[in-house]
Amino acid sequence: QVRLVESGGGVVQPGTSLTLSCVASGRSFSYGMHWVRQAPGKGLEWVAVIWYDGSNTYYGDSVKGRFTISRDNSKNTLYLQMNSLRVDDTAIYFCARDQESNYFDPWGQGTLVTVSS
Amino acid sequence: ILTQSPDTLSLSPGERATLSCRASQSVMTYLAWYQQKPGQAPRLLIYDTSSRATGIPDRFSGSGSGTDFTLTISNLEPEDFAVYYCQQRSNWPPTYSFGQGTKLEIK
């Protein structure tokens, strides 16, 4: 079973940047990966997906043009570069493995990003 | 867009829970359900409308097609009280959406 561990969250000011990481256990990292976020006390919002080889990426409308998903398969690591952060980007950010191009399983434990002045 | 009902469901252990998820347009059978407990990440319960994920007890079942889907939990156990989300994927480009969630609470 794949285990995912996120890191890189913290408190940042509006307009600044932050990069999150997600490290996957196991020898193979040959699967698609997602970022999903959850604002405090709110529901789940899909953020981005990247193909197993990094060849394709897609984003949710609220982060398009500001966030970039990427991966380093040699390090079994997924990234989320977040630029021009806004207060409403405050959330727990989860990474999750893509399953059959339709679902998310498993999920990491999440990392909290707080955007506040 | 996925709309779940009810927002909150109050039941007692041993009862049956029926949670609904309605899509604004047909999603065929590519519909999943997740369970989330406080302070934890979501966990996949059901995928492809009715297939249970690995390790999920058979008291959890999913059904539906087109735009109307149901998650049924028979004989509720204390550990089943949580928030449940449905999720679908759009055809192309691939984007993903979740329902707003149904909180299943102990009555």
Side-chain angles (χ1 to χ4, degrees):
Chain A
Q1 174 71 315
V2 172
R3 182 167 178 257
L4 304 172
V5 179
E6 303 94 335
S7 62
V11 181
V12 295
Q13 292 191 328
T16 62
S17 299
L18 192 66
T19 299
L20 306 181
S21 300
C22 167
V23 177
S25 62
R27 286 178 290 181
S28 174
F29 192 45
S30 299
Y31 38 82
M33 291 290 296
H34 298 265
W35 287 101
V36 178
R37 69 183 182 181
Q38 186 171 37
K42 302 298 184 182
L44 301 169
E45 179 188 13
W46 173 75
V47 173
V49 63
I50 186 167
W51 260 219
Y52 73 99
D53 59 356
S55 60
N56 287 288
T57 58
Y58 299 94
Y59 299 89
D61 287 342
S62 62
V63 306
K64 202 175 296 183
R66 298 188 301 123
F67 289 11
T68 301
I69 188 173
S70 62
R71 64 192 298 157
D72 184 340
N73 286 353
S74 69
K75 296 181 179 179
N76 281 18
T77 302
L78 174 74
Y79 302 100
L80 185 67
Q81 171 73 38
M82 303 184 294
N83 297 330
S84 302
L85 281 162
R86 309 187 301 221
V87 171
D88 61 359
D89 293 318
T90 295
I92 297 172
Y93 286 74
F94 298 99
C95 62
R97 174 179 173 172
D98 179 84
Q99 288 287 358
E100 302 180 19
S101 300
N102 293 321
Y103 312 118
F104 312 100
D105 183 51
W107 300 56
Q109 86 291 347
T111 187
L112 177 61
V113 174
T114 302
V115 184
S116 173
S117 56
Chain B
I1 296 175
L2 295 175
T3 303
Q4 293 184 237
S5 62
D7 289 332
T8 302
L9 185 58
S10 300
L11 293 170
S12 300
E15 292 191 296
R16 172 188 294 252
T18 303
L19 287 67
S20 296
C21 178
R22 174 165 288 180
S24 57
Q25 55 187 350
S26 177
V27 299
M28 300 178 69
T29 60
Y30 301 131
L31 195 285
W33 292 90
Y34 300 83
Q35 176 193 66
Q36 187 179 31
K37 297 179 180 179
Q40 297 185 16
R43 176 175 69 148
L44 178 67
L45 295 176
I46 301 287
Y47 65 96
D48 287 351
T49 299
S50 59
S51 297
R52 275 187 299 277
T54 303
I56 302 304
D58 60 6
R59 65 179 182 275
F60 291 90
S61 63
S63 63
S65 65
T67 60
D68 290 297
F69 299 86
T70 300
L71 173 69
T72 301
I73 313 170
S74 60
N75 193 20
L76 282 166
E77 297 283 348
E79 62 267 28
D80 298 337
F81 292 90
V83 179
Y84 292 84
Y85 295 94
C86 59
Q87 173 258 318
Q88 59 120 356
R89 185 202 121 161
S90 66
N91 192 25
W92 197 263
T95 59
Y96 303 77
S97 59
F98 293 90
Q100 82 279 13
T102 290
K103 181 179 181 181
L104 177 58
E105 64 178 23
I106 299 177
K107 186 174 182 178

